[in-house]
Amino acid sequence: MISKILFLILILISTNAFADKYYFKADRYQPGLHLLAAGGLNASMYRYNFDRQDQGIGLNFKTDVGYYFNSQFAWEVGSIVKFNSVSEYLIWDTLFTTGFRYRFEKFPWTESKGIYVRGFVGKAPTVFYIHNTPHIYKTSHSARVQYNGPVEGFAIGNMYNGTNNKVWFMEYGVSHQRLDRSQGVNNDGDVPVVTFKDSSRRIDIYSLYINIGILVF
């Protein structure tokens, strides 16, 4: 639902937004709606409440649609899609978030005026695709296990003015997912069938991110 709302917002504003992008600078935000997109790497640790712990490194992609109130402050909605291959699983996280962005006019130990911080909260539906079914799921005959739960995170980054009025950025972030609701899913032909539901198994995911991105408009 959130992704559909974001897509509708982009369609509604796209005809007017491109006229504003050349006024947006790394050190001077242009009030209004703006879209940022980025990609990068993540390192994640998975801590289970059923005597298991895993680590993984993978790719991630993110988008943020923000309403910029002034040259320093914005409110954003966005998503992070994160992929990791861990032990018996291929893990696909989708973090739907909302939060704030604040740019510092002056930051300690640097002359840059493009440094900003972001804080965000949201939901994180996560799918574990099973390569070799671990013992804990063998009796359920599940092809994948879907978890859900809240997420919160924080990021710091720096924007830069590029050539031809382009703006790009580098961002470092952390997030914590608390996945406490799960269900197993298998396919009966083309029809997904729920094989079990469980709220007793919890997974905490701690992730570090590095992203490089651009201002789309």
Side-chain angles (χ1 to χ4, degrees), residues 179-213:
L179 308 179
D180 51 14
R181 300 184 304 278
S182 66
Q183 63 179 26
V185 179
N186 210 338
N187 291 328
D188 184 3
D190 295 328
V191 180
V193 177
V194 175
T195 56
F196 73 87
K197 292 185 178 181
D198 192 357
S199 58
S200 65
R201 297 167 182 158
R202 169 172 166 169
I203 302 177
D204 288 276
I205 306 177
Y206 303 89
S207 299
L208 300 173
Y209 306 88
I210 179 170
N211 288 296
I212 298 176

Side-chain angles (χ1 to χ4, degrees), residues 21-145:
K21 70 177 181 179
Y22 298 111
Y23 298 99
F24 191 110
K25 300 295 183 183
D27 55 355
R28 189 199 67 214
Y29 294 165
Q30 174 72 12
L33 282 165
H34 297 284
L35 170 66
L36 293 96
L41 299 173
N42 76 85
S44 298
M45 180 175 68
Y46 302 81
R47 299 186 64 180
Y48 310 80
N49 70 347
F50 43 88
D51 298 324
R52 184 185 177 93
Q53 181 169 309
D54 290 313
Q55 297 82 33
I57 296 176
L59 299 174
N60 53 262
F61 305 93
K62 69 186 292 289
T63 57
D64 294 297
V65 177
Y67 186 84
Y68 290 68
F69 296 96
N70 52 43
S71 181
Q72 289 183 269
F73 184 77
W75 191 262
E76 298 175 321
V77 293
S79 64
I80 301 173
V81 179
K82 176 160 55 83
F83 303 95
N84 276 307
S85 182
V86 178
S87 298
E88 300 97 344
Y89 312 112
L90 172 63
I91 303 174
W92 180 351
D93 295 345
T94 306
L95 283 59
F96 296 110
T97 64
T98 184
F100 70 89
R101 173 188 297 264
Y102 179 80
R103 181 184 63 82
F104 294 93
E105 286 285 358
K106 185 176 182 180
F107 197 81
W109 309 298
T110 179
E111 297 297 321
S112 174
K113 292 186 177 182
I115 296 176
Y116 63 88
V117 294
R118 300 175 56 244
F120 54 88
V121 296
K123 293 291 185 180
T126 300
V127 180
F128 285 61
Y129 290 93
I130 300 171
H131 300 317
N132 300 303
T133 307
H135 177 73
I136 193 168
Y137 296 130
K138 278 184 178 179
T139 57
S140 72
H141 304 289
S142 301
R144 60 189 183 273
V145 181

